[in-house]
């Protein structure tokens, strides 16, 4: 079993749709969680950190479920510019950082 | 805002050649990292430097060496390139171990 698993997609959604991504992790001692966005042939960029209480940034909502060991990302009112690959990132103790392989999203007009 | 700067952006090497990838950050971060990204796989950590003067192996260190030249700079060296090292390489930095990392623009390396 991979340490961090994501549905690779692709998710094809129309503009304005709501889309949700899940990510599961295997190490119960994991401490920090993030969602990154990566555009084609570009570097990953931080989208948002994920806090235990859940957090929201505009159209984006991230949640953490420690009991079930998964994090989620919800995108509301999808825009064409949201088309990208979304990476789930889990940090354990020290410098152990595990990246998911990413979920591809295509938003179409 | 420069952030993390990597050079070169593209490189083609012949098998057995050597090269050094350069990385510099201007955010006064303590920790720096080198990752490789291959199709269908998540980023994998090659080496990291927790702080100036220290370096440690990551998940896939074989065939690579690193130098933390100072707090700003962290270089990755391929001593004898192999086709299996064809990949996209990203340098990153973070303030602390558990804080978010910021990435450079990447180096696309092809070994023929």
């Amino acid at each position: 079993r991979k340490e961090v698993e994501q549905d690779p997609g692709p998710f094809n959604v129309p503009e304005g749709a709501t889309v949700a991504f899940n990510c599961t992790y295997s190490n119960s001692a994991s401490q920090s969680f993030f969602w990154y966005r990566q555009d084609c042939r570009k570097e990953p960029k931080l989208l948002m950190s994920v806090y235990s209480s859940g957090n929201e940034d505009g159209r984006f909502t991230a949640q953490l479920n420690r009991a079930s060991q998964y994090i989620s990302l919800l995108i509301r009112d999808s825009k064409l510019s949201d088309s990208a690959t979304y990476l789930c990132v889990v940090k354990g103790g020290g410098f152990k950082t595990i990246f998911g392989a990413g979920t591809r999203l295509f938003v179409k007009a | 805002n420069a952030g993390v700067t990597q050079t070169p952006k593209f490189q083609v090497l012949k098998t057995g050649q050597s090269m050094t990838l350069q990385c510099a950050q201007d955010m006064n971060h303590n920790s720096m990292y080198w990752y490789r990204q291959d199709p269908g796989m998540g980023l994998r950590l090659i080496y990291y430097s927790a702080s100036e003067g220290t370096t440690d192996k990551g998940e896939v260190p074989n065939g690579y060496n690193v130098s933390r030249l100072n707090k700003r700079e962290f270089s990755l060296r391929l001593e004898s390139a192999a086709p299996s090292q064809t990949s996209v390489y990203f340098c990153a930095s973070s303030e602390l171990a558990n804080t978010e990392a910021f990435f450079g623009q990447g180096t696309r390396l092809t070994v023929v």
Side-chain angles (χ1 to χ4, degrees), chain A residues 35-78:
Chain A
W35 283 102
Y36 278 73
R37 169 196 170 122
Q38 186 173 25
D39 293 292
C40 188
R41 303 177 74 83
K42 299 286 189 180
E43 74 274 22
K45 292 185 178 178
L46 179 69
L47 180 64
M48 58 198 304
S49 302
V50 186
Y51 303 121
S52 297
S53 55
N55 48 300
E56 186 174 308
D57 183 2
R59 298 181 293 109
F60 300 86
T61 300
Q63 292 194 314
L64 166 64
N65 185 320
R66 285 191 184 271
S68 300
Q69 295 181 208
Y70 76 84
I71 66 173
S72 63
L73 177 68
L74 183 76
I75 305 175
R76 291 182 298 277
D77 190 22
S78 298

